[in-house]
Amino acid sequence: SRPADFIGMHFFSPVDKMPLLEIVVGEQTSDAAIAKAVDVALQIKKTPIVVNDSRGFFTSRVIGTFMGEAAAMLGEGIPAATIEQAALQAGYPTGPLALFDEVSLTLGRRIREASREAAAAEGWEFQEHPSFPVIDKMVQEFDRGGRAAGAGFYDYADGKRVGLWSGLGVQWGMDLDPSSVDLTELQERMLFVEAIDSVRCLDEGVLRSVPDANIGSIFGIGFPPWTGGVLQYINGYGLAEFVARAQELAAKHGERFEPPASLVARAESGEQ
């Protein structure tokens, strides 16, 4: 009944350790409400970013691309341990498969199907992803829904992670030699897919600023700090070089790596 006073405050788990607070603004939220939410964030010693409302907000949407890319790699036959090691060596605090277990594979499927239904109802195109069959198989065939279910990409004992599930190698690419995998390309696929979707978030107005993207990605979703953040990573890579590499990845792995037109235009004009 008071849309000017309605606002979202998205915390991160574990709440006592994660420094970010994502403040989510509705279409009619007032500046006064935003200011109060920022004040609350500072009072409880959180670092706030302010984003506009959209499915998944900024953080959940972008981290989903990271986890999805890892599941897609698994489906290609890349060993799970290699995927996790690539992420850790790239500077991520947690491997994407371990993170997927924490979030829950069953929750990921529910979010996906809700998005699919929304696309049909609202008339926008739902993008299929090569991770979907992997997650479906894990949940439906093997009843491995993640840490809360006691079984996911990893095995658990008394709620503690004890190692990658041995069945992963049996189901996906047991014969692939890990030494034949390009570790740098795996790392770039993870970094690029998050960076590209962040550019889309900026284009769509979900993100209000570049600093919000950079701060939110490091403090909220574990983007490697050495990059300076998810959009600063593109600046550091060089926009023209990033666009060229993204096009190479798109040709090899699919249109999710296609650089947005806005990024191509910035690269051509020499912008950051």
Side-chain angles (χ1 to χ4, degrees):
S1 61
R2 302 202 319 273
D5 294 336
F6 190 84
I7 199 161
M9 300 176 76
H10 179 205
F11 290 81
F12 296 78
S13 180
V15 175
D16 60 327
K17 293 185 173 66
M18 297 297 285
L20 191 74
L21 180 59
E22 185 176 34
I23 296 171
V24 185
V25 177
E27 287 183 6
Q28 299 181 54
T29 303
S30 68
D31 288 344
I34 297 171
K36 285 190 177 185
V38 170
D39 284 347
V40 170
L42 298 177
Q43 286 172 28
I44 60 175
K45 295 181 170 53
K46 297 294 183 187
T47 299
I49 63 169
V50 180
V51 304
N52 290 320
D53 188 22
S54 179
R55 185 170 293 274
F57 314 140
F58 159 61
T59 52
S60 297
R61 167 176 164 173
V62 169
I63 202 170
T65 66
F66 171 58
M67 296 185 295
E69 197 61 29
M73 291 172 183
L74 188 66
E76 294 166 16
I78 297 168
T82 303
I83 296 167
E84 298 291 78
Q85 191 59 229
L88 294 173
Q89 289 188 24
Y92 287 96
T94 307
L97 300 177
L99 184 63
F100 217 144
D101 272 5
E102 295 290 334
V103 172
S104 160
L105 279 67
T106 50
L107 176 62
R109 288 187 78 244
R110 286 204 300 272
I111 291 169
R112 179 223 306 172
E113 292 312 310
S115 298
R116 192 192 301 276
E117 290 170 11
E122 298 166 14
W124 47 275
E125 184 180 359
F126 179 79
Q127 296 290 332
E128 296 295 333
H129 194 279
S131 66
F132 294 167
V134 175
I135 304 305
D136 288 344
K137 194 169 187 176
M138 287 289 290
V139 174
Q140 294 178 310
E141 289 190 33
F142 305 127
D143 195 25
R144 301 185 70 89
R147 181 171 184 169
F153 292 115
Y154 284 77
D155 288 323
Y156 297 88
D158 300 322
K160 295 182 179 179
R161 192 185 305 137
V162 294
L164 284 159
W165 176 44
S166 60
L168 294 175
V170 175
Q171 295 300 323
W172 292 287
M174 184 173 62
D175 298 328
L176 187 65
D177 179 4
S179 65
S180 69
V181 178
D182 184 344
L183 206 65
T184 299
E185 180 163 300
L186 299 188
Q187 293 170 339
E188 286 197 336
R189 284 174 64 178
M190 296 173 192
L191 294 162
F192 269 59
V193 78
E194 290 195 274
I196 289 167
D197 202 44
S198 296
V199 173
R200 295 193 189 104
C201 286
L202 196 64
D203 289 347
E204 295 166 19
V206 178
L207 281 166
R208 292 178 157 215
S209 74
V210 170
D212 280 339
N214 290 328
I215 291 166
S217 64
I218 292 174
F219 288 171
I221 57 174
F223 200 75
W226 64 265
T227 62
V230 73
L231 293 180
Q232 184 59 24
Y233 171 67
I234 300 176
N235 288 331
Y237 202 97
L239 265 66
E241 293 81 2
F242 185 94
V243 164
R245 180 60 175 146
Q247 289 168 339
E248 289 176 0
L249 291 171
K252 190 172 181 180
H253 299 291
E255 63 180 21
R256 62 190 179 279
F257 289 102
E258 197 63 47
S262 65
L263 189 63
V264 175
R266 284 178 188 271
E268 291 173 349
S269 62
E271 295 177 42
Q272 293 286 285

